[in-house]
Amino acid sequence: EISRKISWQDGFCQLEVNRNDLLNDSIKKIEKVDLFKELKINFTGELCYDAGGIFREWFTTIFKSLESDKLKLFVISESNDFSYNINPFLRQTQENFKYFTFIGKLIGKALLDNITINVCFNKLIYKMILQEDISFDDLTFIDNPLHTSLQNLKEIYSTGGSDDFYEGLGIYYSVDMEDVNKKRHSFNLIENGIDKPVSNINDYINKRISLMKGMYEPFVKRIRESLFKLIPKDVIQKFTSDELELLINGRPFIDVEDWKMYTEYKEPYNTNHRIIKWFWEIMNELSQKELSNLLMFTTGASRVPFGGFVALESNRGNVSKFTIQSSPFERGKKNFVKAHTCFNRLDIPIFDNKNQLKEAIQFVSSNEIMGFGIE
């Protein structure tokens, strides 16, 4: 277990932030709070009580801001699975460094509080945080077309040849890359590399990986340094990059049967109630994206914890299973399901028929509804 967190019984810290400048205000004011204590979020000028749900939703909104096109901190990876990688052409400025220092703090806080955050970072970032070696096969998770191209080159080079053969291939110790604005940049992998043909393909690949790591390391270093201030280095490095990714992101696949197995009901609802039977029938029809939206709506997190639904917790570290409770159904009015993210609870009106319930569930599952006003 990763935990140096101070018990909620020993007090909490309040982070008051301006909704209109959420990211920058959060970065500035988080310096004044003790992240080892329970953290409650309050929005300037708004009356709200954070029992954990607002805190988790704040996390999600912050990371969406960090991943936005406006900042250009990240780019979408050229891999089979959707993920964000650090923009290799990002300028090494104090302004940009502060964002990655902040990211390290957020990851550390998430680990302290055992909450998942849907950051969708590329595997390379986790490997570099842990300072694991980056192998040739790792390129499939980072840049699949590059991996395929280099694999083809390895097969060509395996035939061997003379100096004329290598020069004829036209592969030199230099790399051309495009930035997000389609501007091309050239990099020499060795001194005067643009004039030196490659005769050792493995050496060439290793130098390309080193170039890539060198572009990302100044920013990953900021994540690493601020993360280790919350979670000791020797604790973090007990995990592999795959394990760290699961701890931070949670499980990418939502298993409805697992969700159902660890759900509790408040009277009059029970496993045999018609509303509950309809609910799980509807859930089995939803896509993974829709299930993720519904999970976000009800728990404040869009991914399942590392341990599955049995491991759902409140922000105070207590087991807090997903719970369904009834609420009155008002005929002649629009009835909605209501979430209590602080307690992982969903209030479902006692609808007259399945279509009414399906409409209410689809309203939530087809939209990314977070809006901190939900209880």
Side-chain angles (χ1 to χ4, degrees), residues 268-280:
Y269 288 157
N270 56 57
T271 54
N272 294 317
H273 195 287
R274 61 183 173 84
I275 292 291
I276 300 305
K277 288 182 177 180
W278 291 340
F279 176 77
W280 292 114

Side-chain angles (χ1 to χ4, degrees), residues 1 51 76-77 79 106 144 160 174 187 199 207 215 246 293 298:
E1 179 181 342
I76 297 174
S77 302
S79 59
L106 293 178
N144 199 43
S174 65
F187 301 91
S199 58
K207 284 181 167 54
M215 289 175 154
L246 272 173
N293 287 342
T298 53

Side-chain angles (χ1 to χ4, degrees), residues 257-271:
E257 286 304 310
D258 183 51
W259 195 339
K260 182 179 179 180
M261 183 181 298
Y262 295 105
T263 294
E264 295 182 344
Y265 308 99
K266 300 288 187 181
E267 289 291 343
Y269 288 157
N270 56 57
T271 54

Side-chain angles (χ1 to χ4, degrees), residues 185-226:
H185 302 261
S186 295
F187 301 91
N188 281 325
L189 300 178
I190 60 175
E191 187 176 356
N192 299 320
I194 195 169
D195 298 319
K196 297 182 178 178
V198 173
S199 58
N200 185 328
I201 189 62
N202 290 323
D203 178 57
Y204 173 76
I205 289 171
N206 289 335
K207 284 181 167 54
R208 287 207 64 164
I209 291 175
S210 294
L211 172 68
M212 179 180 65
K213 287 175 63 178
M215 289 175 154
Y216 302 137
E217 175 57 24
F219 305 104
V220 177
K221 179 183 177 183
R222 268 65 187 185
I223 297 176
R224 190 188 301 124
E225 288 176 346
S226 55

Side-chain angles (χ1 to χ4, degrees), residues 227-288:
L227 169 60
F228 288 167
K229 288 179 182 178
L230 291 175
I231 311 291
K233 178 179 179 180
D234 60 340
V235 173
I236 288 289
Q237 292 189 327
K238 289 179 181 178
F239 299 97
T240 66
S241 53
D242 288 338
E243 291 169 338
L244 183 61
E245 182 180 7
L246 272 173
L247 283 170
I248 294 170
N249 293 137
R251 296 181 179 183
F253 179 79
I254 297 175
D255 185 340
V256 175
E257 286 304 310
D258 183 51
W259 195 339
K260 182 179 179 180
M261 183 181 298
Y262 295 105
T263 294
E264 295 182 344
Y265 308 99
K266 300 288 187 181
E267 289 291 343
Y269 288 157
N270 56 57
T271 54
N272 294 317
H273 195 287
R274 61 183 173 84
I275 292 291
I276 300 305
K277 288 182 177 180
W278 291 340
F279 176 77
W280 292 114
E281 287 171 5
I282 294 165
M283 291 285 281
N284 278 309
E285 297 171 359
L286 300 182
S287 67
Q288 283 292 308

Side-chain angles (χ1 to χ4, degrees), residues 42-50 54 372-373:
N42 184 53
F43 292 98
T44 303
E46 298 182 21
L47 291 175
C48 59
Y49 175 74
D50 182 11
I54 296 175
F372 298 93

Side-chain angles (χ1 to χ4, degrees), residues 32-43:
K32 302 175 184 178
V33 301
D34 183 352
L35 292 177
F36 292 103
K37 288 187 175 182
E38 180 180 351
L39 183 60
K40 294 182 181 293
I41 304 298
N42 184 53
F43 292 98

